[in-house]
Amino acid sequence: MASPAAGEVAIIGSGLIGQSWAMLFASGGFKVKLYDIGQQQVTNALEKIRKEMKFLEQSGSLKGSLGAEEQLSLISGCLNIQEAVEGAMHIQECVPENLELKKKIFTQLDQIVDDKVVLSSSTSCLLPSKVFAGLAHVKQCIVAHPVNPPYYVPLVELVPHPKTAPMTVDRTYALMQKIGQSPVRVMKEIDGFALNRLQYAVISEAWRLVEEGIVSPSDLDLVMSDGLGMRYAFIGPLETMHLNAEGMLSYCDRYSEGMQHVLKTFGPIPDFSGATVEKVNQAMCVKVPSDPEHLAARRQWRDECLLRLAKLKRQMQSQ
Ligand code: NAI
């Protein structure tokens, strides 16, 4: 059995992301209380977690040192928010992406928590200064934004409110590392945090290249999946620069003029509508028809790829 010393965590909202967090915390030996507004949601979540953990164990991909049954025994459902957070050292909010709803949850939590627990939101794009506005426990608040599917993609962006205590950031950073995630510190809040800013930069140039008839939608995706993406799974854009010349200084010396020349030709922000959206949609639907079955099957394949990639990354890191 896990050492009870690992601590207790409360998850608020047992949907897709809440389930993933529950599994990750259990993999680190933490006792998890999964809170939601209805019995059905909690029951469904616990069933999905059981199925997923059994699958992971069978395929040799279960995280942590405990077996699936031991990890499952650490997770329980809860329909009372006060009970859910009692004894918790970390609360991870995972309710739908709606500012008013998140504010309501944090206001409720603000009234029942002590001054030690960390209050963390999974929000993808709401700014901490909005989500945690006016809370008495604001020093203990932080955004910990995971990437879908969090069990296979370890990055977590930590984004503080301007009044978040450094200790809150440090504790959350250490906790994320403990459960095998890969935290990054976003020093100051900014729309899109870091990940979505990079993602949107890529999406917008992809869109412009297709819109202008430079490449087809399917070839555009190949540029990433069989080109840039191959190395980006292991090294980032800055290290790529460093390695693609005799170090960073040599890269900037050699290529900065060329990069600036190309960057000046970038077009305006696309509106993602009209003929281009039809063209892109048609191409995507040829590859993956947009009915729920085909989409689900393709997502499952994607997750299988990510799972194997995660294994490879672990092997490569240990070399
Ligand atoms: P979801 O819709 O799958 O789950 C939300 C859960 O919250 C549901 O089980 C719902 O019953 C519950 N809920 C609703 N009102 C509640 C309340 N008042 N108290 C407690 N529980 C309540 O949503 P999902 O995808 O899990 O997203 C959760 C958060 O994670 C959002 O902020 C989202 O932006 C963020 N996120 C989502 C990612 C994704 O790809 N789905 C990736 C990274 C972050």
Side-chain angles (χ1 to χ4, degrees), residues 222-237:
L222 271 186
V223 170
M224 185 57 83
S225 62
D226 282 4
L228 283 180
M230 294 289 287
R231 57 165 94 105
Y232 282 175
F234 297 90
I235 58 170

mmCIF file with all atom_site columns, all heavy atoms in Angstrom, residues 222-237:
data_model
loop_
_atom_site.group_PDB
_atom_site.id
_atom_site.type_symbol
_atom_site.label_atom_id
_atom_site.label_alt_id
_atom_site.label_comp_id
_atom_site.label_asym_id
_atom_site.label_entity_id
_atom_site.label_seq_id
_atom_site.pdbx_PDB_ins_code
_atom_site.Cartn_x
_atom_site.Cartn_y
_atom_site.Cartn_z
_atom_site.occupancy
_atom_site.B_iso_or_equiv
_atom_site.pdbx_formal_charge
_atom_site.auth_seq_id
_atom_site.auth_comp_id
_atom_site.auth_asym_id
_atom_site.auth_atom_id
_atom_site.pdbx_PDB_model_num
ATOM 1   N N   . LEU A 1 222 ? 1.620  17.166 -42.938 1.00 0.00 ? 222 LEU A N   1
ATOM 2   C CA  . LEU A 1 222 ? 2.852  16.357 -43.054 1.00 0.00 ? 222 LEU A CA  1
ATOM 3   C C   . LEU A 1 222 ? 4.109  17.165 -42.728 1.00 0.00 ? 222 LEU A C   1
ATOM 4   O O   . LEU A 1 222 ? 5.079  16.618 -42.199 1.00 0.00 ? 222 LEU A O   1
ATOM 5   C CB  . LEU A 1 222 ? 2.990  15.816 -44.480 1.00 0.00 ? 222 LEU A CB  1
ATOM 6   C CG  . LEU A 1 222 ? 2.356  14.468 -44.818 1.00 0.00 ? 222 LEU A CG  1
ATOM 7   C CD1 . LEU A 1 222 ? 2.739  14.069 -46.237 1.00 0.00 ? 222 LEU A CD1 1
ATOM 8   C CD2 . LEU A 1 222 ? 2.809  13.375 -43.840 1.00 0.00 ? 222 LEU A CD2 1
ATOM 9   N N   . VAL A 1 223 ? 4.080  18.445 -43.077 1.00 0.00 ? 223 VAL A N   1
ATOM 10  C CA  . VAL A 1 223 ? 5.243  19.307 -42.769 1.00 0.00 ? 223 VAL A CA  1
ATOM 11  C C   . VAL A 1 223 ? 5.542  19.229 -41.269 1.00 0.00 ? 223 VAL A C   1
ATOM 12  O O   . VAL A 1 223 ? 6.701  19.182 -40.844 1.00 0.00 ? 223 VAL A O   1
ATOM 13  C CB  . VAL A 1 223 ? 4.984  20.766 -43.207 1.00 0.00 ? 223 VAL A CB  1
ATOM 14  C CG1 . VAL A 1 223 ? 6.068  21.697 -42.680 1.00 0.00 ? 223 VAL A CG1 1
ATOM 15  C CG2 . VAL A 1 223 ? 4.900  20.863 -44.728 1.00 0.00 ? 223 VAL A CG2 1
ATOM 16  N N   . MET A 1 224 ? 4.467  19.167 -40.476 1.00 0.00 ? 224 MET A N   1
ATOM 17  C CA  . MET A 1 224 ? 4.678  19.084 -39.028 1.00 0.00 ? 224 MET A CA  1
ATOM 18  C C   . MET A 1 224 ? 4.936  17.639 -38.582 1.00 0.00 ? 224 MET A C   1
ATOM 19  O O   . MET A 1 224 ? 5.939  17.357 -37.936 1.00 0.00 ? 224 MET A O   1
ATOM 20  C CB  . MET A 1 224 ? 3.452  19.665 -38.309 1.00 0.00 ? 224 MET A CB  1
ATOM 21  C CG  . MET A 1 224 ? 3.593  19.752 -36.814 1.00 0.00 ? 224 MET A CG  1
ATOM 22  S SD  . MET A 1 224 ? 5.017  20.718 -36.258 1.00 0.00 ? 224 MET A SD  1
ATOM 23  C CE  . MET A 1 224 ? 4.375  22.372 -36.342 1.00 0.00 ? 224 MET A CE  1
ATOM 24  N N   . SER A 1 225 ? 4.025  16.694 -38.987 1.00 0.00 ? 225 SER A N   1
ATOM 25  C CA  . SER A 1 225 ? 4.140  15.337 -38.416 1.00 0.00 ? 225 SER A CA  1
ATOM 26  C C   . SER A 1 225 ? 5.387  14.594 -38.905 1.00 0.00 ? 225 SER A C   1
ATOM 27  O O   . SER A 1 225 ? 5.976  13.815 -38.154 1.00 0.00 ? 225 SER A O   1
ATOM 28  C CB  . SER A 1 225 ? 2.874  14.524 -38.700 1.00 0.00 ? 225 SER A CB  1
ATOM 29  O OG  . SER A 1 225 ? 2.700  14.369 -40.092 1.00 0.00 ? 225 SER A OG  1
ATOM 30  N N   . ASP A 1 226 ? 5.795  14.806 -40.160 1.00 0.00 ? 226 ASP A N   1
ATOM 31  C CA  . ASP A 1 226 ? 6.988  14.110 -40.669 1.00 0.00 ? 226 ASP A CA  1
ATOM 32  C C   . ASP A 1 226 ? 8.191  15.038 -40.778 1.00 0.00 ? 226 ASP A C   1
ATOM 33  O O   . ASP A 1 226 ? 9.246  14.641 -41.275 1.00 0.00 ? 226 ASP A O   1
ATOM 34  C CB  . ASP A 1 226 ? 6.704  13.484 -42.053 1.00 0.00 ? 226 ASP A CB  1
ATOM 35  C CG  . ASP A 1 226 ? 5.898  12.194 -41.919 1.00 0.00 ? 226 ASP A CG  1
ATOM 36  O OD1 . ASP A 1 226 ? 5.519  11.859 -40.776 1.00 0.00 ? 226 ASP A OD1 1
ATOM 37  O OD2 . ASP A 1 226 ? 5.639  11.538 -42.931 1.00 0.00 ? 226 ASP A OD2 1
ATOM 38  N N   . GLY A 1 227 ? 8.028  16.281 -40.341 1.00 0.00 ? 227 GLY A N   1
ATOM 39  C CA  . GLY A 1 227 ? 9.127  17.242 -40.428 1.00 0.00 ? 227 GLY A CA  1
ATOM 40  C C   . GLY A 1 227 ? 9.458  17.806 -39.052 1.00 0.00 ? 227 GLY A C   1
ATOM 41  O O   . GLY A 1 227 ? 10.072 17.134 -38.218 1.00 0.00 ? 227 GLY A O   1
ATOM 42  N N   . LEU A 1 228 ? 8.974  19.017 -38.833 1.00 0.00 ? 228 LEU A N   1
ATOM 43  C CA  . LEU A 1 228 ? 9.302  19.705 -37.577 1.00 0.00 ? 228 LEU A CA  1
ATOM 44  C C   . LEU A 1 228 ? 8.984  18.890 -36.330 1.00 0.00 ? 228 LEU A C   1
ATOM 45  O O   . LEU A 1 228 ? 9.753  18.860 -35.381 1.00 0.00 ? 228 LEU A O   1
ATOM 46  C CB  . LEU A 1 228 ? 8.509  21.019 -37.501 1.00 0.00 ? 228 LEU A CB  1
ATOM 47  C CG  . LEU A 1 228 ? 8.998  22.190 -38.336 1.00 0.00 ? 228 LEU A CG  1
ATOM 48  C CD1 . LEU A 1 228 ? 8.073  23.386 -38.126 1.00 0.00 ? 228 LEU A CD1 1
ATOM 49  C CD2 . LEU A 1 228 ? 10.422 22.561 -37.950 1.00 0.00 ? 228 LEU A CD2 1
ATOM 50  N N   . GLY A 1 229 ? 7.808  18.236 -36.357 1.00 0.00 ? 229 GLY A N   1
ATOM 51  C CA  . GLY A 1 229 ? 7.350  17.512 -35.161 1.00 0.00 ? 229 GLY A CA  1
ATOM 52  C C   . GLY A 1 229 ? 8.294  16.400 -34.739 1.00 0.00 ? 229 GLY A C   1
ATOM 53  O O   . GLY A 1 229 ? 8.390  16.084 -33.550 1.00 0.00 ? 229 GLY A O   1
ATOM 54  N N   . MET A 1 230 ? 9.001  15.792 -35.707 1.00 0.00 ? 230 MET A N   1
ATOM 55  C CA  . MET A 1 230 ? 9.920  14.699 -35.375 1.00 0.00 ? 230 MET A CA  1
ATOM 56  C C   . MET A 1 230 ? 10.953 15.161 -34.345 1.00 0.00 ? 230 MET A C   1
ATOM 57  O O   . MET A 1 230 ? 11.246 14.465 -33.394 1.00 0.00 ? 230 MET A O   1
ATOM 58  C CB  . MET A 1 230 ? 10.660 14.215 -36.638 1.00 0.00 ? 230 MET A CB  1
ATOM 59  C CG  . MET A 1 230 ? 9.789  13.575 -37.672 1.00 0.00 ? 230 MET A CG  1
ATOM 60  S SD  . MET A 1 230 ? 9.161  11.948 -37.188 1.00 0.00 ? 230 MET A SD  1
ATOM 61  C CE  . MET A 1 230 ? 10.627 10.939 -37.329 1.00 0.00 ? 230 MET A CE  1
ATOM 62  N N   . ARG A 1 231 ? 11.511 16.349 -34.571 1.00 0.00 ? 231 ARG A N   1
ATOM 63  C CA  . ARG A 1 231 ? 12.519 16.788 -33.600 1.00 0.00 ? 231 ARG A CA  1
ATOM 64  C C   . ARG A 1 231 ? 11.899 17.499 -32.402 1.00 0.00 ? 231 ARG A C   1
ATOM 65  O O   . ARG A 1 231 ? 12.420 17.413 -31.295 1.00 0.00 ? 231 ARG A O   1
ATOM 66  C CB  . ARG A 1 231 ? 13.588 17.650 -34.263 1.00 0.00 ? 231 ARG A CB  1
ATOM 67  C CG  . ARG A 1 231 ? 13.134 18.885 -34.980 1.00 0.00 ? 231 ARG A CG  1
ATOM 68  C CD  . ARG A 1 231 ? 14.310 19.812 -35.267 1.00 0.00 ? 231 ARG A CD  1
ATOM 69  N NE  . ARG A 1 231 ? 14.915 19.658 -36.565 1.00 0.00 ? 231 ARG A NE  1
ATOM 70  C CZ  . ARG A 1 231 ? 14.756 20.514 -37.576 1.00 0.00 ? 231 ARG A CZ  1
ATOM 71  N NH1 . ARG A 1 231 ? 13.980 21.570 -37.442 1.00 0.00 ? 231 ARG A NH1 1
ATOM 72  N NH2 . ARG A 1 231 ? 15.365 20.332 -38.711 1.00 0.00 ? 231 ARG A NH2 1
ATOM 73  N N   . TYR A 1 232 ? 10.750 18.150 -32.618 1.00 0.00 ? 232 TYR A N   1
ATOM 74  C CA  . TYR A 1 232 ? 10.144 18.886 -31.501 1.00 0.00 ? 232 TYR A CA  1
ATOM 75  C C   . TYR A 1 232 ? 9.665  17.976 -30.374 1.00 0.00 ? 232 TYR A C   1
ATOM 76  O O   . TYR A 1 232 ? 9.417  18.440 -29.267 1.00 0.00 ? 232 TYR A O   1
ATOM 77  C CB  . TYR A 1 232 ? 8.987  19.761 -32.000 1.00 0.00 ? 232 TYR A CB  1
ATOM 78  C CG  . TYR A 1 232 ? 9.440  21.039 -32.677 1.00 0.00 ? 232 TYR A CG  1
ATOM 79  C CD1 . TYR A 1 232 ? 8.518  21.882 -33.283 1.00 0.00 ? 232 TYR A CD1 1
ATOM 80  C CD2 . TYR A 1 232 ? 10.776 21.418 -32.693 1.00 0.00 ? 232 TYR A CD2 1
ATOM 81  C CE1 . TYR A 1 232 ? 8.921  23.064 -33.900 1.00 0.00 ? 232 TYR A CE1 1
ATOM 82  C CE2 . TYR A 1 232 ? 11.181 22.594 -33.314 1.00 0.00 ? 232 TYR A CE2 1
ATOM 83  C CZ  . TYR A 1 232 ? 10.253 23.412 -33.917 1.00 0.00 ? 232 TYR A CZ  1
ATOM 84  O OH  . TYR A 1 232 ? 10.641 24.577 -34.523 1.00 0.00 ? 232 TYR A OH  1
ATOM 85  N N   . ALA A 1 233 ? 9.502  16.675 -30.656 1.00 0.00 ? 233 ALA A N   1
ATOM 86  C CA  . ALA A 1 233 ? 9.136  15.760 -29.561 1.00 0.00 ? 233 ALA A CA  1
ATOM 87  C C   . ALA A 1 233 ? 10.306 15.604 -28.591 1.00 0.00 ? 233 ALA A C   1
ATOM 88  O O   . ALA A 1 233 ? 10.124 15.152 -27.466 1.00 0.00 ? 233 ALA A O   1
ATOM 89  C CB  . ALA A 1 233 ? 8.731  14.404 -30.116 1.00 0.00 ? 233 ALA A CB  1
ATOM 90  N N   . PHE A 1 234 ? 11.512 15.975 -29.025 1.00 0.00 ? 234 PHE A N   1
ATOM 91  C CA  . PHE A 1 234 ? 12.688 15.763 -28.174 1.00 0.00 ? 234 PHE A CA  1
ATOM 92  C C   . PHE A 1 234 ? 13.416 17.052 -27.808 1.00 0.00 ? 234 PHE A C   1
ATOM 93  O O   . PHE A 1 234 ? 13.929 17.186 -26.702 1.00 0.00 ? 234 PHE A O   1
ATOM 94  C CB  . PHE A 1 234 ? 13.673 14.799 -28.870 1.00 0.00 ? 234 PHE A CB  1
ATOM 95  C CG  . PHE A 1 234 ? 13.069 13.444 -29.068 1.00 0.00 ? 234 PHE A CG  1
ATOM 96  C CD1 . PHE A 1 234 ? 12.374 13.143 -30.226 1.00 0.00 ? 234 PHE A CD1 1
ATOM 97  C CD2 . PHE A 1 234 ? 13.127 12.494 -28.060 1.00 0.00 ? 234 PHE A CD2 1
ATOM 98  C CE1 . PHE A 1 234 ? 11.779 11.902 -30.393 1.00 0.00 ? 234 PHE A CE1 1
ATOM 99  C CE2 . PHE A 1 234 ? 12.532 11.254 -28.218 1.00 0.00 ? 234 PHE A CE2 1
ATOM 100 C CZ  . PHE A 1 234 ? 11.852 10.960 -29.388 1.00 0.00 ? 234 PHE A CZ  1
ATOM 101 N N   . ILE A 1 235 ? 13.478 17.986 -28.762 1.00 0.00 ? 235 ILE A N   1
ATOM 102 C CA  . ILE A 1 235 ? 14.145 19.257 -28.453 1.00 0.00 ? 235 ILE A CA  1
ATOM 103 C C   . ILE A 1 235 ? 13.263 20.419 -28.924 1.00 0.00 ? 235 ILE A C   1
ATOM 104 O O   . ILE A 1 235 ? 12.531 20.287 -29.903 1.00 0.00 ? 235 ILE A O   1
ATOM 105 C CB  . ILE A 1 235 ? 15.549 19.363 -29.108 1.00 0.00 ? 235 ILE A CB  1
ATOM 106 C CG1 . ILE A 1 235 ? 15.453 19.203 -30.626 1.00 0.00 ? 235 ILE A CG1 1
ATOM 107 C CG2 . ILE A 1 235 ? 16.512 18.365 -28.506 1.00 0.00 ? 235 ILE A CG2 1
ATOM 108 C CD1 . ILE A 1 235 ? 16.747 19.528 -31.349 1.00 0.00 ? 235 ILE A CD1 1
ATOM 109 N N   . GLY A 1 236 ? 13.343 21.520 -28.229 1.00 0.00 ? 236 GLY A N   1
ATOM 110 C CA  . GLY A 1 236 ? 12.495 22.670 -28.562 1.00 0.00 ? 236 GLY A CA  1
ATOM 111 C C   . GLY A 1 236 ? 13.089 23.518 -29.670 1.00 0.00 ? 236 GLY A C   1
ATOM 112 O O   . GLY A 1 236 ? 14.181 23.231 -30.183 1.00 0.00 ? 236 GLY A O   1
ATOM 113 N N   . PRO A 1 237 ? 12.392 24.601 -30.048 1.00 0.00 ? 237 PRO A N   1
ATOM 114 C CA  . PRO A 1 237 ? 12.876 25.447 -31.143 1.00 0.00 ? 237 PRO A CA  1
ATOM 115 C C   . PRO A 1 237 ? 14.194 26.143 -30.831 1.00 0.00 ? 237 PRO A C   1
ATOM 116 O O   . PRO A 1 237 ? 15.010 26.355 -31.741 1.00 0.00 ? 237 PRO A O   1
ATOM 117 C CB  . PRO A 1 237 ? 11.752 26.482 -31.322 1.00 0.00 ? 237 PRO A CB  1
ATOM 118 C CG  . PRO A 1 237 ? 10.912 26.407 -30.104 1.00 0.00 ? 237 PRO A CG  1
ATOM 119 C CD  . PRO A 1 237 ? 11.090 25.029 -29.529 1.00 0.00 ? 237 PRO A CD  1
#
